[in-house]
Amino acid sequence: MASNFQAVKGTRDFYPQEMRLRNYIIDTWRRVSLRCGFEEYDAPIFEYLDLFTVKSGEEIAEQLFSFTDRGGRDLAIRPEITPSLARMVAEKINALPRPVKWFSVPRLCRAERPQRGRLREFFQWNVDVIGVDDILADAECIFACVEALREFGLTPADVEMRIGSRPLWTAVLDSLAVPTERRDDVLALVDKRFKLPEDAFDKLLAESFLNDEQTSVIRDLLSHENVTVEQLLTDYSGRVDIGQTVERLSQLLGYLEAYGIAEWCVLDLRVVRGLAYYTGVVYEAIAAGERAVAGGGRYDNLLQVVGGPAESATGFGMGDVVLGILLDEKGLLPADLASESLNFFVIDAVEGVFPKVLDLVARLRKGGFSADCHTRRQNVGKQLKQADKRGARCSVLLSGNDLRIKTMASGEETDIDATTFLDDPGKWLQ
RNA sequence: GUGACUGUAGCUCAGUUGGUUAGAGCACCUGGUUGUGGUCCAGGGGGUCGGGGGUUCGAAUCCCCUCAGUCACCCCA
């Protein structure tokens, strides 16, 4: 250990190399958000502890980094940004033009044990639409999500957007007389179906409090890995009133089709998204062998929970950790992230002209080009070596008023006077 | 919070049944090159062998504790 200190468990240092990757991911998220018509917002990185516990209960507090400030306030570092979003929107809801289409890339902290795809500090892209009850809002979010995946170079063969429905489960469980208070337990069980081996799941189901009829219908629903709305109506409309729910799913699929992303999407009733605050459609972007790379859904009562008006809302989150693993495995991380790629490296080929070097560097920088020079005078060979290591596209050898431009990749050299060069330095970068 | 596995240079790893001064490749720096980079050659810096304790004449090696990493469980907002 060179230092007496190390990075805290579950955190990452971003050296320039890692920083380039992080920026690549975040820039892509931001670009996609903006072109999908979302506006960026942010919130404080800590909030009152209550904001995070009010909707999920006390047990969530164990997974929070919380502290008491000098004024005795109980605070916590944000583990997600949705409660802050709800707070912000609730506060100004009457002044905000609808729809509220906002995105953010918050840095979040959760005091969980780190493992594959999960750290204690990470970045998460959040995209939300508030104030639009129409399922179109959900389609908007799913589109943005898919658009980002596509922008990263992923294909439907790599990632599937699996879409489920909480209300459908609610309706079916009601019709089976499953008590409301047990509903979350059942959904938690359903959620496990994804990751457990089949026999282990069967065991859990058998050990549950459910009777044979309930078990059988649940099993049947879960068998629909690739269900269509027609199938759902045929199989269940006689049993329960799911007409409205299925109609909404059907509309959603229509929108996704019109958006041209139907091949990414599939109805999958096994997706229920843990407990949380979801009230409608839910979805997860799943890559084989990984935890969900993105997940979201409709949460129509969250604003009320934080004391705001009844306002519908829907959105998703995508974490940088799983995404990074996925892109790395698929070989989709851009290769040119590896070098710094300086435009010009200016060299004093003779002694005594260093002020001119600085002048030229300054002019280039003012012109919008990245330019640099040595910090310790060395001979031309050494300086060229430095230029190479810095990833410079061109070296500019300066002696007197004349310059010699050297294109590093080809080794080609051209003599030119300074005025002509400064007229259009970009010409040398093509 | 529970469990399993793993910690030797910045990175990837050697290191004999416990044996005296812990190595290699890559990377980095310097020189060969008062003047044209990448190649090559030579040299150099960098380790309390994750940390602490124990066993022993002697520990990178064996034992205990601890920290960290990885993976799984719990959880997944």
Side-chain angles (χ1 to χ4, degrees):
Chain A
M1 291 293 125
S3 163
N4 290 326
F5 298 100
Q6 52 188 221
V8 175
K9 178 204 273 274
T11 64
R12 291 169 289 177
D13 289 326
F14 293 91
Y15 289 86
Q17 189 180 336
E18 289 82 28
M19 196 65 200
R20 283 193 288 270
L21 171 59
R22 172 176 139 191
N23 283 336
Y24 165 71
I25 287 175
I26 290 178
D27 290 348
T28 303
W29 283 340
R30 185 167 284 131
R31 192 167 60 245
V32 168
S33 305
L34 292 171
R35 75 182 184 216
C36 290
F38 290 84
E39 289 190 285
E40 187 163 11
Y41 71 96
D42 202 354
I45 61 167
F46 50 86
E47 296 267 8
Y48 285 103
L49 178 62
D50 291 348
L51 179 67
F52 301 121
T53 54
V54 66
K55 58 132 179 137
S56 336
E58 293 293 327
E59 65 277 13
I60 216 80
E62 290 172 17
Q63 312 230 359
L64 289 175
F65 285 102
S66 58
F67 58 98
T68 305
D69 77 0
R70 296 210 287 174
R73 284 172 279 258
D74 290 324
L75 307 176
I77 302 176
R78 60 188 180 188
E80 57 173 333
I81 203 174
T82 312
S84 304
L85 170 67
R87 178 178 64 72
M88 288 168 64
V89 170
E91 199 162 307
K92 296 208 178 190
I93 188 68
N94 291 325
L96 294 171
R98 316 297 177 80
V100 175
K101 290 180 65 177
W102 287 2
F103 80 95
S104 192
V105 185
R107 188 172 197 145
L108 307 177
C109 293
R110 297 174 185 174
E112 298 176 298
R113 188 113 175 216
Q115 57 187 274
R116 183 177 176 84
R118 182 200 278 178
L119 298 171
R120 289 187 161 186
E121 186 195 45
F122 56 97
F123 294 86
Q124 188 184 67
W125 180 38
N126 278 79
V127 173
D128 294 272
V129 177
I130 294 174
V132 178
D133 191 52
D134 196 292
I135 194 85
L136 175 61
D138 302 87
E140 278 282 275
C141 293
I142 292 174
F143 178 83
C145 187
V146 168
E147 188 68 4
L149 296 173
R150 182 154 52 193
E151 186 87 357
F152 283 117
L154 294 162
T155 69
D158 302 315
V159 185
E160 259 184 342
M161 187 64 77
R162 297 181 166 267
I163 301 170
S165 168
R166 302 277 294 215
L168 188 72
W169 276 103
T170 305
V172 170
L173 294 181
D174 279 351
S175 81
L176 291 168
V178 172
T180 313
E181 64 270 21
R182 308 307 296 267
R183 195 184 287 156
D184 283 348
D185 298 336
V186 177
L187 291 183
L189 196 58
V190 167
D191 191 44
K192 283 199 172 50
R193 176 64 185 88
F194 237 140
K195 12 215 146 151
L196 285 180
E198 194 154 349
D199 49 344
F201 175 76
D202 286 345
K203 192 154 172 277
L204 277 178
L205 200 56
E207 286 168 356
S208 69
F209 51 88
L210 298 164
N211 64 35
D212 285 351
E213 189 206 5
Q214 293 166 334
T215 310
S216 135
V217 173
I218 288 169
R219 198 183 290 281
D220 185 53
L221 263 176
L222 284 174
S223 68
H224 293 318
E225 185 177 339
N226 230 319
V227 75
T228 64
V229 288
E230 290 78 15
Q231 255 177 286
L232 284 178
L233 280 177
T234 313
D235 294 357
Y236 295 98
S237 58
R239 172 183 283 281
V240 291
D241 180 19
I242 56 167
Q244 213 178 351
T245 299
V246 171
E247 171 63 22
R248 262 173 92 80
L249 280 177
S250 175
Q251 273 176 22
L252 175 64
L253 295 179
Y255 287 136
L256 297 176
E257 174 79 38
Y259 261 137
I261 57 168
E263 60 172 343
W264 291 78
C265 304
V266 58
L267 272 190
D268 186 340
L269 297 177
R270 296 175 303 180
V271 176
V272 295
R273 297 288 294 157
L275 40 136
Y277 35 61
Y278 293 107
T279 57
V281 63
V282 288
Y283 46 88
E284 288 180 347
I286 304 282
E290 297 293 340
R291 64 181 65 237
V293 64
R298 182 164 281 273
Y299 51 101
D300 280 340
N301 49 29
L302 185 61
L303 264 71
Q304 276 179 298
V305 170
V306 300
E311 198 72 52
S312 59
T314 182
F316 72 89
M318 181 187 292
D320 70 315
V321 183
V322 175
L323 179 66
I325 292 174
L326 188 58
L327 294 180
D328 188 31
E329 276 179 356
K330 301 285 181 187
L332 292 173
L333 297 177
D336 59 0
L337 285 176
S339 80
E340 176 186 13
S341 161
L342 196 62
N343 291 148
F344 295 103
F345 192 89
V346 184
I347 292 169
D348 43 356
V350 296
E351 263 178 291
V353 297
F354 193 55
K356 287 188 176 175
V357 168
L358 294 182
D359 178 67
L360 184 56
V361 166
R363 286 172 191 275
L364 283 168
R365 289 175 177 173
K366 198 179 284 181
F369 301 94
S370 57
D372 215 340
C373 61
H374 66 75
T375 52
R376 176 171 68 99
R377 162 88 180 132
Q378 285 179 301
N379 65 45
V380 172
K382 297 282 191 240
Q383 293 196 53
L384 277 168
K385 189 178 271 211
Q386 248 193 83
D388 182 53
K389 290 199 172 147
R390 295 288 299 274
R393 299 277 296 282
C394 291
S395 288
V396 180
L397 285 78
L398 187 150
S399 53
N401 283 324
D402 285 332
L403 308 178
R404 178 170 289 181
I405 314 296
K406 176 163 188 159
T407 304
M408 297 304 279
S410 63
E412 228 171 283
E413 297 186 16
T414 311
D415 288 319
I416 187 172
D417 67 275
T419 315
T420 314
F421 170 67
L422 282 169
D423 234 24
D424 183 18
K427 168 185 167 190
W428 301 93
L429 299 174
Q430 284 149 21

